[in-house]
Amino acid sequence: MALYDPVSEQSNHELFDECSQYDYLRITFSDIHGGCRSKIIPTESVKRVLKSEGFGICTITPYLSFDGSFPPNCPYGDEGFPDIFVVPESGTFHPAPWGDREDLKVAQVLGSSRAKSDGSYMETDTRHIAQKLCQQLKSEFDLEIYSAFEMEFAVMDSEGNFPWIGTDMYSNLSNHQIMPTLHKLVKAMNTSGYPIRTINTEYGNGQMELTLFPEVGVKSADAAFIYRSAAKEVFLKDGWSVTFMGKPSSQRGTGTNSGHFNFSLLRSDGKNAFWQDKDTLSPTAQSFMAGVLEHAHGLQALGNPTVNCMRRNHPPTFAPTMVGWAREARDSLIRVKMDGPNSTYFEYRNPSGGCNPYLVLAGILAAGMDGLRKKARLPAPLDREKAEKMSTDLGESIGKLESDAVLVEALGSKLLENFRIVKQLEINKFGSQDEVTEEERKFYSKLV
């Protein structure tokens, strides 16, 4: 079987034409962690590879651990690790200038994993799961999600030292130290079609936050996925490293990296379905949020999917530790922003910078749609004395995810089975430790 799909003949021809300006095409896909992996094709070979030969990857590739090791009881090991295909997704081609060198230019297209036998999507492809739930929101409720991630990262030099120490938020001087590299990242993201919206230093050693513009549907997760990889490559070229790890270090003053997910819903007329008036959320907004809160404990493992991510959830912290919502409060799981009909949205503060954005998007959609179906009633705002506490243990959180029937049905039992297998390796390795060791930092920081 070839990757070329006759049904998509026009989009394939468009891809062939777009590639002609570049030397190499990366077909890039997300692993289960949200890590960026790819195969690279010389552009002279793109047409032949995609139309007549095709290529496969080993089924273990999306499930390798952060250090490249095989988890015990590897997914698909009992089948001998057969190949799967990675297929370009229509409409995702973009320049990837972070991969350029002086004498070569790189482009990129996002791919999905397909069964080699019949070309069907693998049930564990995280982008496809998110895209399918976006389509379900549209078909069932005539709504679309409009969203953006804001992912923080920490900058280090080649020896693991931060360029500045301390909680130097919104600092011109700290920005100045790495501004030439930040400028390269901004230019690269603008060229790719996923522009940077704002830049600021954050509340930690060497910590930065760059925000992205909101997108409709799965494109917000695409943007976060692309941005995270681009940042690592751009900074690497200039002799820096960046990590989106939830907690990069136990050194005093080191911040925890969040991946807040900001979202609203759009009606078919393009208007904000969350807005009712300046003091009231719409019934749609209330039921959708009620669904997210009802499934908060199951969603915890999707937003904080590593042992290291969970370390950001120990007080004192700006990460949410209780289930609840409030207007503007940064210690609530959902921070409600009500600034007019075009600026009423929810900031879901649970995710770490090390999350898989596709699984966060998918989980929010599954939980929110459950609330819409049931016309769920929104509970009162956060009561800090009575609110349920969020788990800070990855194994326990995965157990709550696996026991949430709504999330299991939406995400698929096979994905969650593989998720548990892969994450158990990390739990065994680092779960009993209280601090971030150098071994843990090295384990996560290359991919995250």
Side-chain angles (χ1 to χ4, degrees):
M1 174 193 167
L3 293 180
Y4 185 78
D5 180 1
V7 176
S8 305
E9 184 168 353
Q10 181 177 351
S11 63
N12 277 288
H13 278 301
E14 290 171 358
L15 176 60
F16 301 152
D17 291 341
E18 289 169 321
C19 285
S20 63
Q21 305 171 46
Y22 299 90
D23 298 294
Y24 293 94
L25 175 69
R26 294 176 175 177
I27 300 186
T28 300
F29 58 96
S30 174
D31 64 18
I32 199 167
H33 311 290
C36 196
R37 300 185 182 274
S38 67
K39 270 208 172 184
I40 301 173
I41 308 175
T43 53
E44 298 89 344
S45 305
V46 166
K47 191 169 186 177
R48 182 178 177 188
V49 169
L50 297 185
K51 188 170 183 178
S52 58
E53 296 175 358
F55 69 83
I57 62 167
C58 178
T59 41
I60 189 57
T61 307
Y63 308 105
L64 292 172
S65 196
F66 291 92
D67 62 351
S69 59
F70 282 38
N73 305 311
C74 276
Y76 306 103
D78 57 351
E79 302 173 29
F81 302 117
D83 268 0
I84 54 176
F85 278 135
V86 176
V87 180
E89 287 292 297
S90 177
T92 66
F93 178 91
H94 55 273
W98 47 88
D100 291 354
R101 294 294 187 270
E102 290 182 5
D103 58 344
L104 63 89
K105 292 183 68 178
V106 177
Q108 186 165 272
V109 64
L110 300 183
S112 59
S113 54
R114 311 280 189 100
K116 196 171 182 180
S117 56
D118 61 5
S120 61
Y121 283 97
M122 295 291 288
E123 57 187 323
T124 53
D125 185 280
T126 60
R127 185 182 188 275
H128 178 63
I129 291 168
Q131 190 171 38
K132 186 169 60 173
L133 287 163
C134 289
Q135 293 165 349
Q136 188 175 343
L137 177 69
K138 180 65 175 174
S139 63
E140 191 172 342
F141 300 101
D142 200 20
L143 295 168
E144 292 184 289
I145 192 163
Y146 185 58
S147 61
F149 285 85
E150 46 180 296
M151 290 186 160
E152 297 167 343
F153 60 82
V155 182
M156 302 180 201
D157 65 19
S158 58
E159 313 223 328
N161 301 310
F162 299 107
W164 63 86
I165 299 295
T167 54
D168 208 7
M169 292 182 72
Y170 305 103
S171 166
N172 283 343
L173 288 177
S174 295
N175 273 331
H176 181 80
Q177 295 182 58
I178 57 171
M179 199 64 212
T181 307
L182 286 170
H183 180 60
K184 292 174 185 176
L185 176 58
V186 169
K187 287 181 65 179
M189 290 300 295
N190 287 348
T191 301
S192 75
Y194 296 96
I196 297 298
R197 179 174 168 269
T198 62
I199 304 168
N200 61 271
T201 59
E202 259 294 345
Y203 195 75
N205 300 334
Q207 190 178 30
M208 295 296 305
E209 178 183 274
L210 281 66
T211 62
L212 298 159
F213 286 93
E215 303 279 359
V216 175
V218 76
K219 282 191 70 176
S220 67
D222 289 343
F225 172 69
I226 291 165
Y227 154 68
R228 200 161 54 182
S229 175
K232 293 182 83 69
E233 290 193 55
V234 169
F235 274 80
L236 183 64
K237 283 183 182 180
D238 279 3
W240 300 101
S241 66
V242 300
T243 180
F244 293 80
M245 289 170 60
K247 189 172 183 181
S249 168
S250 290
Q251 180 180 334
R252 183 178 176 83
T254 301
T256 58
N257 292 322
S258 69
H260 300 157
F261 182 55
N262 302 282
F263 67 94
S264 61
L265 299 178
L266 300 179
R267 300 196 305 250
S268 57
D269 60 4
K271 293 184 178 178
N272 189 347
F274 282 2
W275 168 256
Q276 181 156 309
D277 61 51
K278 65 184 181 64
D279 296 314
T280 312
L281 291 168
S282 71
T284 295
Q286 293 187 43
S287 290
F288 196 93
M289 194 204 303
V292 173
L293 294 174
E294 181 180 342
H295 297 282
H297 295 294
L299 294 171
Q300 171 78 324
L302 302 180
N304 295 276
T306 71
V307 171
N308 182 268
C309 287
M310 285 289 180
R311 299 196 191 283
R312 64 184 278 271
N313 298 316
H314 293 273
T317 178
F318 280 124
T321 59
M322 299 171 284
V323 178
W325 71 277
R327 286 187 71 166
E328 291 294 352
R330 283 182 163 82
D331 61 347
S332 58
L333 180 64
I334 297 178
R335 179 186 177 205
V336 176
K337 309 290 285 290
M338 297 175 67
D339 299 321
N342 296 322
S343 298
T344 293
Y345 63 94
F346 301 156
E347 180 184 58
Y348 178 59
R349 294 179 59 81
N350 171 268
S352 159
C355 70
N356 182 332
Y358 295 114
L359 290 181
V360 170
L361 172 60
I364 289 294
L365 286 169
M369 284 193 287
D370 185 52
L372 291 178
R373 291 185 195 103
K374 298 189 296 192
K375 294 182 168 54
R377 291 176 62 87
L378 182 65
L382 178 68
D383 182 331
R384 291 168 180 81
E385 300 300 319
K386 298 178 181 178
E388 296 177 14
K389 299 293 190 290
M390 302 281 285
S391 174
T392 59
D393 179 87
L394 180 58
E396 180 182 1
S397 295
I398 292 174
K400 291 179 178 179
L401 172 60
E402 293 171 324
S403 64
D404 188 314
V406 169
L407 295 181
V408 171
E409 181 179 359
L411 301 175
S413 57
K414 184 65 174 177
L415 173 80
L416 296 185
E417 176 189 340
N418 292 352
F419 188 81
R420 159 71 75 177
I421 290 170
V422 171
K423 297 302 172 180
Q424 193 61 49
L425 184 149
E426 300 170 44
I427 294 169
N428 294 344
K429 200 173 185 69
F430 301 115
S432 62
Q433 299 175 3
D434 294 327
E435 300 290 336
V436 181
T437 62
E438 182 63 11
E439 180 188 11
E440 181 177 322
R441 186 186 73 79
K442 289 181 177 178
F443 179 83
Y444 287 113
S445 61
K446 183 177 180 181
L447 193 62
V448 180

